[in-house]
Amino acid sequence: MLTTLFALLYYVAFAIFVGGVAYRIWEYWNTPKPANIPTTPAPTTRLGVAWRMFKEVLFFESLWKGNKWIWIFAQLFHASLWLIIIRHARYFLDPVPTIVVLAQPFGKYAGLTFVLGALGLLARRMFVPRVRYISAPSDYLMLLLFIGIGFSGLMMTFVNHTDIVAVKAFFLGLMTFNWQPLPSTLPLLVHLGLVAIWMIIFPFSKLLHAPGIFFSPTRNMPDNPREKFQPVPWLPPVDQVEYDPPHGS
Amino acid sequence: MSELEKNPEAAAEELPPEALEDPLYFDPEPKEGASAHIRSFPAAPEFMEPLGYPGERPENWKEVALNKMKDLRGKFRSFRLFLDICVKCGACTDKCHYYMGTADPRNMPVGRQDLLRSVYRRYFTLPGKWFPSLVGARDLTEEVLDEWYTYYFQCSECRRCSVYCPYGIDTAEITMAAREILDSVGYGMKYTNEIITKVFKVGNNLGLPKPALESTLEDLEEEIEDDTGVKVRLPLDEPADILLVTPSADFFAEPHIDGLIGYAKVFHATGAKWTLSSYASEAANFAMFIGSYENMRRIALRIRKAAIDLGVKRIIIGECGHAWRAAYQFLNTLAGPFDFLDPNYPVPQHICEYTWDAIQKGQLKFDKSQNDWIKLTFHDSCNVARASRMGDYPGGQFDIPRNILKAVCNHYYDMPEGTIKEETLCCGGGGGLLTDDLMELRKKGGSPRMKALKQVAEEYGVNKMAAICAICKTQFSKIMPEFGFGMDDIMSVHQLVSNAIILPGSEQEKELMEQEEKEEAADAAE
């Protein structure tokens, strides 16, 4: 019963996540960028843009300029998330790749820094009046969701161990449509339930910032409007326009 | 009336001392509605219809507005993406000069965006349709429309927020879209739309017809001749190699006009064949402020037509911030390709690029001591700093004006870090807000820059600030007296060039030669 429920939940969640994010990316991709609007000074070449995006995506360069506290908590949160994701690959891959094995000891503690980062962001949201003003209930819930995921995960890692061999069998079974029983311990069910919610809301929420940043015109456009003619797609070409008549003098 | 207005002294006493000194000071406690009373005058129908907008609010305005939003969402990736991906981290909240000046949270960049984002979520996203209060979504009502009008005309589209946003979200893009939506339901702004109407009718923002331009230019030629003994031309509608398009304030206002004299002297000294155009007698493009690509193109096409009609090889833009953005980022896009111009020069070029090039080639001679009474600083105009480039490398827009100033002036000092270059503070009057009905906002929004200026005035004795923007110059000459400076403490960059330049055959050249001979004789005597 429980196994069936979670198996179906994960099929649905995965479909919404992958389909939804792909649809958003398709939408962004197909929406025109009618003008060359990088925030300058900006690199003038595609290679320069790649370097700018690299610094932005991994090191949050702009945020560093903007606010050091947010930067610290955001880096704690996101860098930990990377490690956690790499570590979790062991539950979906057989045999386990070396990089995942290497990440394992760090990945375990990354759970702590992940929760710490989320708590820091939550504290700012609650106690900094400017940030409180711009926060909707969903902004708090999103952080609580992450804290819940992190906390339930930490419970399994450090307090109440789960039969991870069975968990892995469950996920490999999902992928091969050969369902295996899911261990029914509370932290695991909470953990998996929250992760499924996270996947479902991803394409409908601000979590879209993750794929979205790659499409941001102020960051991903090379600064070359004089060098390269980039016409506005929905305006008629310039040889089909009428000019204002000259003024009587 | 706000508390501050009722009793300004009492309010000032409550502020901590750094509030009066630190240019980047902001009130940690947002004051909701603190600038809600500052509203510009809406446009009358006669200034809406020429731009293609309804003169009155249509019966089905809500439908029209939402359709417009849908339309823009399909046309601008920036708009669609920026509405989706803001995570409300708060990095931008203390970065807007209008928030620093008013403490109104709707002047925090994200607060301003949310005015529109909340409506977008309600009608265009699933969570907003199903759980509006959970995600901060709200219905579009007349009150919301009024709120948009108030606060989207308290944004100068300066892009300072976009520097600090981890996703590069540029509030200017949201403001432009919001203004376009407001215009589409007949709720335009008087100042911007009246000016655009004037450009369509007369050719420039100030409404100067050709005869008035001609006589102004003749007067300037006389003035230069009286001053230097050299006949420097300011040609209008003459066949030439270079078309100069400059903000019309350069024909009329102080200190702008001294800048125009500076351009003329530089062109004269380099032997250039140049001309102004009465048809394209305006570099400013206020249609950019209201986010209307159609109107922006109509204005940009004037420059194209003038360039074709006059048979020029190059287009050069005078000192103006948003005009340089409109030219740099939009002229080629909207009115290009300019394949009929000389491919050896970028289209368009900035007058500072031209002057700096001439200085490097040794074509200009200066007597820097003419500016020795000046201790100078430079205000980076927002659109030049964050929406354009000069020269062939990123950041040239910061170096080239400073290089010119240092070539003509011995005493130059930068304002504090965090207030210059890409982090520059807006003058407070950009983005179509340079109107008397927004004077309170202009003063408050300009206060961070004024505090930065005060710091270098106290530390180094700086007594003049130069700028390359017609709006900045007008705004500063108006608000500087409020902050203990003189209204003429703002100068054009080419005004300083004009002061120091030694034209061949001029009185100044003779004086300088006599002086040099005397010095040589004195040296020889020793």
Side-chain angles (χ1 to χ4, degrees), chain B residues 192-214:
Chain B
T192 51
N193 294 10
E194 187 177 350
I195 276 179
I196 295 167
T197 308
K198 256 188 240 168
V199 174
F200 292 158
K201 277 194 191 144
V202 192
N204 53 61
N205 287 8
L206 292 181
L208 295 169
K210 185 171 178 178
L213 270 181
E214 266 170 344

Side-chain angles (χ1 to χ4, degrees), chain B residues 77-113:
Chain B
R77 189 187 292 177
S78 54
F79 184 60
R80 163 175 248 152
L81 189 80
F82 293 165
L83 290 178
D84 274 354
I85 68 173
C86 174
V87 300
K88 315 289 174 82
C89 72
C92 64
T93 51
D94 55 351
K95 301 298 188 285
C96 175
H97 51 287
Y98 292 119
Y99 178 70
M100 297 180 203
T102 66
D104 190 317
R106 290 188 180 91
N107 280 330
M108 304 190 303
V110 51
R112 198 184 309 284
Q113 294 162 23

Side-chain angles (χ1 to χ4, degrees), chain A residues 10 18 74 105 121 139 146 166 174 176 217 220 234-235:
Chain A
Y10 264 81
V18 173
L121 293 172
D139 296 312
F146 282 118
L174 281 186
T176 53
N220 78 359
W234 67 81
L235 290 178

Side-chain angles (χ1 to χ4, degrees), chain B residues 240-255:
Chain B
D241 295 336
I242 295 172
L243 170 64
L244 177 75
V245 188
T246 204
S248 57
D250 282 2
F251 303 121
F252 193 73
E254 288 287 349

Side-chain angles (χ1 to χ4, degrees), chain A residues 28 66 130 216 218-219 236 244, chain B residues 84 93 95 162 167-168 279 297:
Chain A
Y28 297 146
R130 285 172 290 121
S216 178
T218 60
R219 293 290 180 271
D244 284 345
Chain B
D84 274 354
T93 51
K95 301 298 188 285
S162 86
Y167 317 110
Y279 177 74
R297 176 179 230 197

Side-chain angles (χ1 to χ4, degrees), chain B residues 31 62 98 127 147 248 273 295 305 308 327 340 421 428 434 468 485 487 498:
Chain B
K31 308 266 183 291
K62 199 167 147 180
Y98 292 119
E147 203 177 39
S248 57
K273 268 186 75 186
N295 285 302
K305 181 167 156 57
I308 294 170
F340 56 91
K421 300 187 178 176
L434 192 72
I468 41 172
F485 301 98
M487 64 179 293
S498 172

Side-chain angles (χ1 to χ4, degrees), chain A residues 24 27-44 52 56 60-67 70 78 124-125 128-139 141 204-220 223-239 241-249, chain B residues 26 28-30 32 73-78 80-82 84-91 93-95 99 105-106 108 110 114 126-127 133-136 159 162-168 170 173 199-203 210 279 293-294 297-298 301-302 304-305 324-325 328-330 332-337 346-349 353 385-389 391 394-395 397-398 422:
Chain A
R24 291 294 178 212
E27 265 188 338
Y28 297 146
W29 190 280
N30 285 297
T31 309
K33 293 185 281 186
N36 189 285
I37 55 162
T39 309
T40 61
T44 55
R52 184 185 201 178
E56 205 63 90
F60 309 168
E61 188 186 25
S62 297
L63 185 58
W64 173 256
K65 292 178 199 164
N67 188 304
I70 305 177
H78 287 89
R124 279 191 59 82
R125 211 169 271 302
V128 177
R130 285 172 290 121
V131 188
R132 192 166 60 225
Y133 178 84
I134 57 171
S135 300
S138 57
D139 296 312
L141 289 175
F204 306 101
S205 68
K206 65 178 185 177
L207 295 173
L208 285 169
H209 69 276
I213 182 171
F214 294 96
F215 293 91
S216 178
T218 60
R219 293 290 180 271
N220 78 359
D223 177 26
N224 61 0
R226 294 196 288 189
E227 291 77 6
K228 197 173 157 227
F229 175 53
Q230 304 160 67
V232 179
W234 67 81
L235 290 178
V238 78
D239 50 9
V241 297
E242 263 182 64
Y243 296 100
D244 284 345
H247 318 287
S249 53
Chain B
F26 60 89
E29 286 290 338
E32 208 169 335
R73 176 178 180 254
K75 282 178 171 172
F76 293 90
R77 189 187 292 177
S78 54
R80 163 175 248 152
L81 189 80
F82 293 165
D84 274 354
I85 68 173
C86 174
V87 300
K88 315 289 174 82
C89 72
T93 51
D94 55 351
K95 301 298 188 285
Y99 178 70
R106 290 188 180 91
M108 304 190 303
V110 51
D114 278 352
L126 273 189
S133 54
L134 184 71
V135 296
R159 312 185 102 200
S162 86
V163 170
Y164 305 102
C165 174
Y167 317 110
D170 179 9
E173 293 289 309
V199 174
F200 292 158
K201 277 194 191 144
V202 192
K210 185 171 178 178
Y279 177 74
Y293 274 45
E294 284 74 15
R297 176 179 230 197
R298 212 174 135 188
L301 282 170
R302 293 171 161 267
R304 182 183 177 90
K305 181 167 156 57
W324 179 235
R325 179 180 188 187
Y328 179 86
Q329 289 192 332
F330 292 101
N332 197 15
T333 296
L334 291 169
V347 181
Q349 250 186 320
E353 291 181 305
R386 289 184 285 262
S388 83
R389 172 162 53 95
Q397 68 269 37
F398 309 134
E422 75 167 343

